Amino acid sequence: MKGRISNKLGEIRINPEVIAKYAGITAVECFGIVGMAAVSMKDGLVKLLKRESLTHGINLDIEENHITLNFHVIVAYGISISAVADNLIENVKYKVEEFTGMEVDKINIFVEGVRVID
């Protein structure tokens, strides 16, 4: 479902793909996030996604201008996962709400892997 915002001049419709891309870019800018992950259901393998395909690691649902985001991420080795998750939630919630004008109700984070970064 597309996000809709109505005002006196008309209606704005935001494609969920746009919101997912923005949320993905915001997420990978967060400290401790190596990148988004794609999980192969066939093999159970986790793959680090390139910047162009960030939206494959994000699922989002929009109901009555309330957004629920699910992130599948790979985190950096040696950093507190809870600190990374708190930072991700805070940044994404603020930036997506500011960008879309819609409320973010829930952000779920699925840590799919850990990578050592140079």
Side-chain angles (χ1 to χ4, degrees):
M1 172 184 251
K2 292 187 180 193
R4 286 183 193 180
I5 303 167
S6 296
N7 62 24
K8 63 182 179 182
L9 300 175
E11 185 175 85
I12 301 167
R13 293 183 187 192
I14 304 172
N15 190 319
E17 192 78 11
V18 173
I19 298 170
K21 181 106 176 171
Y22 187 79
I25 291 168
T26 302
V28 295
E29 290 174 349
C30 291
F31 177 75
I33 299 292
V34 175
M36 304 306 291
V39 181
S40 170
M41 296 301 167
K42 187 174 84 177
D43 323 350
L45 295 174
V46 175
K47 184 173 105 176
L48 181 64
L49 295 170
K50 294 183 177 162
R51 193 161 178 90
E52 302 84 46
S53 54
L54 290 175
T55 57
H56 295 297
I58 301 171
N59 300 327
L60 85 123
D61 186 40
I62 303 171
E63 289 186 26
E64 298 177 20
N65 290 337
H66 293 269
I67 302 170
T68 300
L69 292 158
N70 296 312
F71 287 92
H72 297 270
V73 298
I74 296 174
V75 297
Y77 176 78
I79 300 172
S80 168
I81 291 175
S82 64
V84 171
D86 289 343
N87 184 30
L88 175 71
I89 290 168
E90 192 176 307
N91 286 338
V92 169
K93 181 174 175 27
Y94 173 75
K95 288 191 175 182
V96 169
E97 285 180 347
E98 183 182 296
F99 178 66
T100 63
M102 292 185 268
E103 187 175 335
V104 175
D105 280 345
K106 190 187 266 187
I107 297 175
N108 300 309
I109 301 171
F110 301 94
V111 178
E112 302 292 352
V114 177
R115 290 265 169 102
V116 177
I117 52 175
D118 300 327

